[in-house]
Amino acid sequence: ATVDGPGGPTVDPRVAQQRIELSPGDLLLLASDGLYKNLTDDELMQMLPGSGDTAVTMGDAAYARSQDRNNQRSTQDDISAVVVNFEAE
């Protein structure tokens, strides 16, 4: 099926599902491409786990990188991040 979008007709997205096993202390990062295209995996890993609001710290760093025209990773895009900490009960 197609849906009319701002750029014309688009195809319905395909949804992929996968189960993963999480343990107490695990962190899960949900992020848009604006985050992971502006920061390297190593940079993201260094920010996890962080003190304070890790998602905001990551978003701020990605935004700063997106404004740097001299950096090859720089891309202006939406930047979203959610960090979920699975704690023991």
Side-chain angles (χ1 to χ4, degrees):
T2 60
V3 177
D4 286 332
T10 59
V11 177
D12 287 339
R14 292 188 340 188
V15 177
Q17 295 180 346
Q18 180 179 354
R19 287 187 180 264
I20 57 174
E21 189 172 321
L22 298 169
S23 300
D26 285 351
L27 296 171
L28 180 64
L29 171 61
L30 306 171
S32 68
D33 61 345
L35 186 81
Y36 64 78
K37 284 184 179 178
N38 279 299
L39 300 174
T40 65
D41 289 347
D42 287 340
E43 289 171 322
L44 292 170
M45 290 299 293
Q46 288 175 8
M47 294 180 202
L48 290 172
S51 59
D53 195 335
T54 305
V56 171
T57 301
M58 290 177 165
D60 289 346
Y63 176 76
R65 177 72 51 79
S66 76
Q67 301 305 301
D68 183 358
R69 301 284 181 240
N70 296 320
N71 190 308
Q72 290 183 325
R73 288 190 71 86
S74 173
T75 180
Q76 291 190 335
D77 199 351
D78 61 295
I79 299 170
S80 302
V82 176
V83 178
V84 181
N85 185 355
F86 293 87
E87 298 179 359
E89 292 184 29

